[in-house]
Amino acid sequence: MGTASATIRERSARDDLDTRLFLLNGFRMEVAGEPLDLPPGAQRVVAFLALRPHALTRGYVAGTLWMDAPEARASANLRSALWRLRSHAVPIVESAGGRLSLHRSVRVDLRAAVELADRWLTGRMTDSDLAAGTATLEADVLPDWYEDWVAAERERFRQLRLHALEAVAERMVQRGRSGDALLAALAAVLADPLRESAHRALISVHLAEGNVGEALRQVRRYERLLADELGVAPSIHLARLIGPLLGRAGEPLPPG
């Protein structure tokens, strides 16, 4: 066992250790600020449980994580992963009644990010949220993992964070913080270049700053992108947004 694990084992007898799981931009665990190295099988168990709100049966966990293996082998793989997790002498996984869940003491960055996104969407953001910026909302869930169960959760969070970034842009404009609004809108566009609502958020920020030329250039960029990638035009919602700049909603933009 490495030096970090030995340090964690020594401290676990004295303190309630701060255990953190990071799923955004890659898998990482820390205990009392020290990295905790886990083998791939144990990582998959921890991540799978962290992405589920309720306790799961052992059979379901084993069958999902090792679906290509025979049932007996999948169960053995799960037992091995759980044994490795218990060997670190810090609570990571709870087991009760044949069901498994992430230990309640483990703090998960993704769960905090979901709560942050919800506060922005509902207008309940705190002073800390206002100061923190949008970095948490710009990250993907385990971007280098390719299992279907990861991809589904990655897409779910991507949609949530895109809506939240657009909300950040709108609310920052309302607060007169156009610079922060611009960064949020740009992050939304970067995350999904074909998403019209993200472009509308960015265009709205330019308009709020009085940068009409920049707003119109952004519209032209988006029109070209849609035409090249999908062969379609923007929706009536974008036309209504820029209509007052052109005299009437829906009037074609001048060539640029």
Side-chain angles (χ1 to χ4, degrees):
M1 188 171 292
T3 303
S5 294
T7 300
I8 291 168
R9 184 179 291 277
E10 287 178 7
R11 293 188 59 182
S12 67
R14 305 193 308 268
D15 303 322
D16 291 328
L17 297 182
D18 178 23
T19 306
R20 302 192 181 205
L21 172 62
F22 301 89
L23 300 177
L24 299 177
N25 286 334
F27 184 97
R28 191 171 85 256
M29 279 203 83
E30 292 181 358
V31 180
E34 297 286 346
L36 186 66
D37 293 326
L38 298 177
Q43 289 185 17
R44 294 171 77 222
V45 170
V46 171
F48 188 71
L49 295 176
L51 292 174
R52 299 298 188 275
H54 306 297
L56 304 170
T57 65
R58 285 172 173 260
Y60 179 75
V61 175
T64 304
L65 295 181
W66 292 279
M67 63 174 56
D68 295 330
E71 183 178 347
R73 171 50 57 190
S75 296
N77 289 343
L78 177 60
R79 287 195 300 272
S80 176
L82 293 174
W83 178 84
R84 291 177 180 276
L85 290 169
R86 286 193 296 269
S87 72
H88 288 283
V90 292
I92 299 174
V93 170
E94 290 188 273
S95 177
R99 293 178 175 270
L100 302 173
S101 60
L102 192 69
H103 195 275
R104 58 187 176 278
S105 66
V106 179
R107 294 198 284 173
V108 184
D109 66 341
L110 176 59
R111 294 178 180 177
V114 169
E115 293 172 358
L116 170 65
D118 182 67
R119 289 195 297 273
W120 278 108
L121 287 168
T122 57
R124 296 181 293 106
M125 56 279 187
T126 66
D127 290 340
S128 296
D129 296 336
L130 292 169
T134 60
T136 300
L137 298 175
E138 297 174 31
D140 276 330
V141 177
L142 298 172
D144 53 350
W145 290 29
Y146 303 105
E147 289 89 344
D148 289 343
W149 56 269
V150 176
E153 292 301 321
R154 182 185 302 127
E155 178 59 18
R156 186 182 71 86
F157 180 64
R158 189 183 77 89
Q159 290 295 331
L160 176 64
R161 67 186 181 87
L162 284 170
H163 280 94
L165 285 168
E166 292 165 4
V168 172
E170 179 182 353
R171 298 187 192 285
M172 286 299 191
V173 165
Q174 293 170 354
R175 290 171 175 264
R177 295 173 55 170
S178 56
D180 292 328
L182 183 63
L183 291 176
L186 285 169
V189 169
L190 181 62
D192 190 345
L194 294 175
R195 184 181 176 90
E196 182 174 309
S197 56
H199 285 271
R200 290 202 306 267
L202 179 56
I203 293 163
S204 295
V205 175
H206 289 315
L207 294 177
E209 291 184 302
N211 294 326
V212 175
E214 191 63 49
L216 294 177
R217 280 193 292 271
Q218 185 62 36
V219 173
R220 285 196 289 268
R221 293 186 196 108
Y222 183 58
E223 284 185 328
R224 289 194 295 268
L225 179 63
L226 278 186
D228 292 343
E229 295 292 330
L230 302 177
V232 299
S235 76
I236 190 63
H237 301 292
L238 186 59
R240 287 170 178 163
L241 178 64
I242 63 170
L245 306 178
L246 304 173
R248 65 179 187 276
E251 183 176 336
L253 286 172

